[in-house]
Structure formats: C-alpha cells, structure tokens
Amino acid sequence: MPDEPFVAFIEDVTGGGKTEAALVLAHRTLAAGRARGLYVAMPTMATANAMFDRLAATYRRLFQAGSTPSLALAHGAARLHDGFRRTVLPIDDPSEVVRDGDADDRDQSGPACAAWLADEQRKAFLAEVGVGTIDQALLAALPAKFQSLRLFGLAERVLIVDEAHAYDAYMSRELEGLLAFQAALGGSAIVLSATLPETVRHRLAAAYRSGLGNPGVTFTVEDYPRVTLVSATSVDEAAKLPRPEMRRQLAVERLPDPESAITRILDAERSGAAVAWVRNTVDDAAEGAERLRVCGIKPTLFHARMAMDDRLVLEREIMNRFGRNGDPARRPGTVVATQVIEQSLDLDFDLIVSDLAPIDLLIQRAGRLWRHPEREARPVSGPRLLVVSPDPQGAVEADWYKAMFPRAAWVYRSHARLWLTAKHLFGRETVSVPEDIRALVEAVYGEEAISGIPIAFERNLNESEGESGAQRSVAASNLLIPQKGYGGNHVGWDAEVRIPTRLGEKQTVLRLAWCDDDQIVPWSSDPDRRRAWALSEVSVRASRVSGSLETARALQRTVALRDGWTRYDEDKILLLLRPEVEGRWSGTVLDGKGAEIKVTYDRREGLRFQGNGG
C-alpha cells in the first residue's frame, strides 16, 4: 500500500471476494491513520440495502474494541429500511445500542447510528461507515446544496465504489470528477468490478491522478484477476491467482426465441432446480411470468415497478430463499427478474436464462450461477447460461435486435455492441472463468472491437457513440473542478433534487392509495403517516403517466390526505386503487397524451398498464 493517497482497482470474478479485499485495504488505511472511516457506493438502492445488511454484522471489526462507530445508510428511501431504522439510537449517546426486538435491551456489539447522523442523507458521510447509492457521493462533485458537507466527509473516508462497470457514459464522467476531488483533498478510493473495460480503468485512474496534479498514467498488466494501485508517484499492477473454487467452465447456449426459454425453464423446474430468467424490461418480465403460469408453474416476479413496501418484502424473501443461508427445501422454483437481480445480490441459481444484453451484464448475471461452491446437491449437471438471442451469423439487418426485443431496444441503444456480444459469446461452447472474462469484455468494448461490425449497424453505432459523447459533455459541464474552485464552469447552484446524477427519461412518482370508509389511506399500513406514504410510492417513466384525475379531486375533498405529504411531494400523483379479484386492484391514470387508461396493481406482480404496452 502506498504511503500516500491512492486509488486501487480490484478486478475479479463475481463472488471472488472483491468486497472483502476492499475492506481489508480500507482497514489498513484506517490503521495507518490516513482515514477516519469509509463510504461504500452502490449502483442502486436495492444493492445498497444488501450491502448495509452485510456490513451490519461485521463493520465494528474495522475499529478498536470498545469504540462505538456509527453505520449509516444513505439513499432516498433509507429511512424505509427496517434494519437501518432499528439501528438509530433514540438519543445521541453511542453507548446505547438498540438490539433488534426489545428496545430496553442494550447490545454493545450490534450496528448503531447516532440519531443526528440518520436524519439526513448527506450526514451519512460523517458517520464512520456509510453505505448508500453512488448518487449520494456524486453530489459532492456537483453544484448541489450541501455539496461541501458531503465532500468534507468523503475526504476523510476511503471511498469504495462497487460495480463500477454499471454506469453509463454520463455517470462514469461524474465518477471521474468525484475521484479528482477525492485525490485533491487527500482521500483514497477503491474501485471494484468484475467486468471493467480497459478504457474505463484508464480514465478513472487518470482522473484521480489529475486531482493530484499528475494526470498521466500507463498500464502494462493485462492479466485477470488483477489489482492496480495508483498514487502520485507510482503505478503498481499485480496479477492475482483466482481462488481455486471460483475456477469453472461455464457452458453457453443460444436460444432462438422466448418460447425455447420457456421450454428449458419448465424442464429445469420439474427437475427441482432453482432458475432465474432475467429479462431486460419490466413488461417483458411480467409477460414472461404470465406465460410460465399458463404452463402450470408459479414463478416469483422481481422488478422495481412496485410499491417500496412490497418490494422490500420481496427482496427479503428472495434473499432468504436463494441466498447463501437459504433453506434448501425452498430453493426449487423460478424467479423472473429484471436487471435488479444482476448486481451485488448474493444469490445462487442452478440455471440462468437471460435475454441478450451487453457482455458485461451477461457476465454479471452469470455470476449468480452456481455462485456458492459449497452447495453440493444440484439437480443439473453443470453451470449453464442460456441466452435468448437472434443469430449473429450470416447477413443481419438494422432491426436485428429490435425485431426480437422491441422494448429492450430502447434500453440498450448500441445494437452493434449487442451483436459483438453475441458473436464472441456464441463463438465458443464454454467460457473459462476467469481466463476468458477479460478477452470477452475487450472484444466488445476494446478500441479495435468495432472494426468488424456489419454495415447494417454503422448508423446505430454512430448514433449510440454520439449519444455517449454527448452524455460525457453534459456531465463535464455540470461538474465542479477542483483546480477552479467554486468559480468554475458550472451553470449555477440548485436544489439536490434538480441536479441530475443520472440522465435518462424523467420518472414520475405514483402514490398508491385506497378508500376505507370514505377516507383515502396510503397503500402501506405503516403507523407513521409520512413513512406510510413513502412506502406506497411507485416510479414509472414520465412518458407513460402524465397525471390522474383522482389527484385533484381527492386533495380538494379531504384535508386528511395531506397529512404526511410535504412540499417535496407536490409533483407526485395519487393513484386511487379499487379491489378487483384475487388480490388485484385497479385504477386509472392519464397517459403521456392525456388519455385515461386503466392500470392494475398486485403486491406480487407490481404495476401493469392495460392496453398500453403491457
């Protein structure tokens, strides 16, 4: 470890122990007196919740015995996480730690967070250990309110960025800006990924060094797994031997259509296997689950378009069933999920079926396949990844991907990269893990990768590459620059909610409610009215919902409805639900063109649009 601020890159297979290695390195930095704590930045709220639960049992080992460090969770729904709420001390006395269960029984070894740190997301950066979304950290490099408070906290902490491959061009450029600030203020950082393209590693390292006044960096080691340490005066790279139990031969097979996927899932479930079918949109996942039900099985549907209250319950159920400590008797069955399943969730399946996605995401999904090597009895002969994909061989047309996946075509815009993924992945019968991982990633994202794409994809490639370049430019114009101070090139300061940490289509928040004796009540039954409304929220694309006729009428009819709503909730839309049959509820919203359409909601299925694309 360098005797100066550093950025470390830890690249290893999914489940290879990257988080544990990062915590060891962070602990050494703390022991050397060069940091006071750490912040773990995750790509989503779900992954942040999972990491918080994971650290809650161990984080005190990073500090001296008898000390009382705080563990804080930082994202927009942190106070909705029951585990975090139970750790918040009722008084600002860190010696009184509340154990789950009896509030009068004190446990000095359990997780705890002082109340003054828990009442605001930004204060999590002052806790000894913080876990949250990457967005909360990125706001430290943007002209957002309380930016300097976040930056002050991060500078004294080791910033650990997990799943660094998961960010688009806009967020990657923001991350570069954040690393430059971390370096300029003398802080260290650790970047984790199983599938980090070489160009991204170089940009992040150069950005960190730019904060030290020495932006140049050269890498020479191409091995995988590997660890890279970059400081102001040195660049140290080392190839690492993978853990023997992580080596494996992963069989890969192309399926020509979703019908073939259903057939293989039915066969696997009948054999008693735990199966995951990962689809690229919520509507595709819902349709896939519905088609499996018609075939006589009962899949679990897992996606983000459901009330937070129901989603948290489902997350726990899936972790308890398919996690490391899951009950073997409950494992058989199928989960149909979206991308929420592919990152930082310690899940283990016997078979994974996936729609075609970029190579790095397919590798992440495959990381949930035979993930726990200690599991002995499996009903299938070996790890196998089945990918529903059009054929990359022979002549292809511009709609090669869109014809099979019309919805996902708008999620993954670079169809040329998808074709490269299919070409190189299906060009081999098996993938040797970890030996083939680096080559596969560079075959799709490397500088020479695009030289062999079909002419049909040239326009799509130009458009997607241009969009990525535009995203980086927008991010650069938003970022603060350490060397320029607060008089830099940013356009001005604004409230946090209006500073974009992510680009993409604007989201509309629906608040689910129902009538009880003519009183409108939130979907969640939490006794805290404000928390109940927050737990009743569902986010959807703004183009799909523009409003609700019920919102204005209800707000005029009852003052009680406003109890629990704040000024930050003014743009949220009330969706009043009425019971139908078998746990299904329905209501109406206005679509993007102002037409009234029907929606349905089910605690296990989430929100569905009727007659408007599923």
Side-chain angles (χ1 to χ4, degrees), residues 12-26:
D12 200 352
V13 295
T14 305
K18 296 184 294 296
T19 301
E20 291 77 5
L23 292 175
V24 169
L25 184 55

Side-chain angles (χ1 to χ4, degrees), residues 190-267:
I190 304 172
V191 178
L192 311 179
S193 177
T195 54
L196 194 67
E198 190 64 25
T199 54
V200 177
R201 182 176 71 131
H202 188 274
R203 282 174 173 171
L204 295 177
Y208 184 85
R209 266 201 158 184
S210 72
L212 301 172
N214 182 17
V217 63
T218 301
F219 294 133
T220 58
V221 174
E222 297 182 356
D223 300 70
Y224 178 90
R226 66 186 171 191
V227 175
T228 308
L229 290 170
V230 179
S231 65
T233 59
S234 66
V235 176
D236 296 318
E237 300 175 275
K240 296 298 181 181
L241 291 175
R243 289 159 47 196
E245 65 269 24
M246 301 311 297
R247 289 185 180 275
R248 58 179 175 167
Q249 294 295 313
L250 175 65
V252 178
E253 181 181 345
R254 184 183 76 87
L255 301 180
D257 48 50
E259 288 72 22
S260 302
I262 291 172
T263 299
R264 300 294 288 274
I265 291 170
L266 292 173
D267 290 342

Side-chain angles (χ1 to χ4, degrees), residues 20 113 121 124 129 145 148 174 200 202 205 233 265 267 280 315 330 334 338 351 379 453 526 566 578 584 605:
E20 291 77 5
C113 183
Q121 298 166 33
V129 178
K145 194 175 181 181
S148 55
E174 287 181 311
V200 177
H202 188 274
T233 59
I265 291 170
D267 290 342
N280 293 331
E315 273 183 29
R330 297 182 59 211
T334 301
T338 59
L351 175 70
I453 67 167
D526 193 278
T566 71
R578 299 171 181 83
R584 177 164 294 182
E605 305 295 319

Side-chain angles (χ1 to χ4, degrees), residues 48-77:
N49 289 343
M51 183 60 68
F52 177 88
D53 294 339
R54 187 174 175 182
L55 284 179
T58 60
Y59 83 103
R60 285 178 175 268
R61 300 177 188 175
L62 299 172
F63 301 88
Q64 291 183 346
S67 62
T68 54
S70 282
L71 171 65
L73 181 62
H75 58 63

Side-chain angles (χ1 to χ4, degrees), residues 483-533:
Q483 293 81 1
K484 293 186 177 182
Y486 291 113
N489 68 337
H490 55 84
V491 296
W493 294 80
D494 210 337
E496 292 177 24
V497 294
R498 297 179 61 185
I499 297 296
T501 56
R502 302 176 188 241
L503 287 185
E505 187 172 350
K506 182 180 177 182
Q507 296 288 300
T508 290
V509 177
L510 301 176
R511 283 192 151 179
L512 308 186
W514 59 287
C515 282
D516 182 17
D517 292 333
D518 251 0
Q519 286 294 315
I520 296 175
V521 296
W523 180 255
S524 170
S525 58
D526 193 278
D528 181 332
R529 187 83 169 184
R530 182 172 177 177
R531 177 176 154 81
W533 279 117

Side-chain angles (χ1 to χ4, degrees), residues 132-149:
T133 56
I134 185 68
D135 308 76
Q136 297 298 322
L138 293 176
L139 286 169
L142 294 168
K145 194 175 181 181
F146 300 109
Q147 168 269 343
S148 55
L149 175 62

